[in-house]
Amino acid sequence: MSITTFAVAGATGRLGRHVVDVLTEQGHQIVPMSRATGVDIITGEGLAEALTGVEVIIDVASWHSSDQDAATEFFHTSARNLHEAGRKAGVARIAMASIIGADKATAGFLAAKKVHEELLLSGPLPVRILRAAQFHEFVGQLLDWQQGDVAYLPALPTQLVACRTVAEELVELATAPAAPGTPIPEIAGPRKEIMAEAAQLLGARRGIKVVGVDGSGMPDAEIAANGGFLPSPHAKLAGPTFQEWLDTQP
């Protein structure tokens, strides 16, 4: 495989750190783009300089809360800026991480990701999308958002996947000689899990009691309950399971 220069938007984030690791292990040149490295994909500060000589952008930058309007605004601006600066710099393509079920979403963060996909696909540069299941790491985030010794989390089906697994698949997609056809590729964990049950495994380690609830307060809870956010038949399934991953965490 030839050495390619990649810019990683969101390089210091939960998924971005793993993308940088995978690219580094494969010997690629990397330009990490985050506010910590002086590159702001929203204001555009440092973006043109960062993309000089870059062949492929991997976009894993994300909004930090589940607010639909704020996330949509973030993705609007980031998509426009990456396309504009990327086109001027002669970038060949953008590869981005999305979420399984985004195409079905009507509300919440998933609906913002749906818009993100559409915005990136409508820009001047070719775009490759990988839709991933919720991350193993997301379970801890759900617990972090809850206050106190008891956490009430949705007993909804999911097919949790490790961030590292997603990063490996995204780098493979970004470096592939040809773009995938349709449908959009998906990556998910090896088996179906119930979000609240996964959280109970982690809660036991943290001394938090997790109670499963029906999740009706969540955006698109009915779609989720009916398995609408589970991987499609064409999805690639890869380990570790949530329990296996948890056993490796410090």
Side-chain angles (χ1 to χ4, degrees), residues 127-192:
V127 170
R128 298 178 183 182
I129 295 172
L130 175 67
R131 289 184 183 144
Q134 294 286 7
F135 304 148
H136 292 331
E137 289 82 350
F138 179 63
V139 180
Q141 193 178 339
L142 285 177
L143 288 181
D144 292 341
W145 287 340
Q146 303 259 342
Q147 304 298 316
D149 303 329
V150 182
Y152 297 91
L153 295 181
L156 293 172
T158 179
Q159 198 143 331
L160 295 162
V161 67
C163 269
R164 168 75 192 202
T165 303
V166 176
E168 289 168 357
E169 195 65 17
L170 184 58
V171 168
E172 193 171 311
L173 177 71
T175 54
T182 51
I184 288 173
E186 295 180 0
I187 179 79
R191 66 175 187 215
K192 190 168 98 170

Side-chain angles (χ1 to χ4, degrees), residues 104-138:
K104 305 184 188 90
T106 66
F109 185 78
L110 261 178
K113 280 304 283 187
K114 179 183 184 176
V115 173
H116 189 202
E117 287 187 8
E118 291 164 355
L119 289 164
L120 276 177
L121 287 170
S122 65
L125 297 175
V127 170
R128 298 178 183 182
I129 295 172
L130 175 67
R131 289 184 183 144
Q134 294 286 7
F135 304 148
H136 292 331
E137 289 82 350
F138 179 63

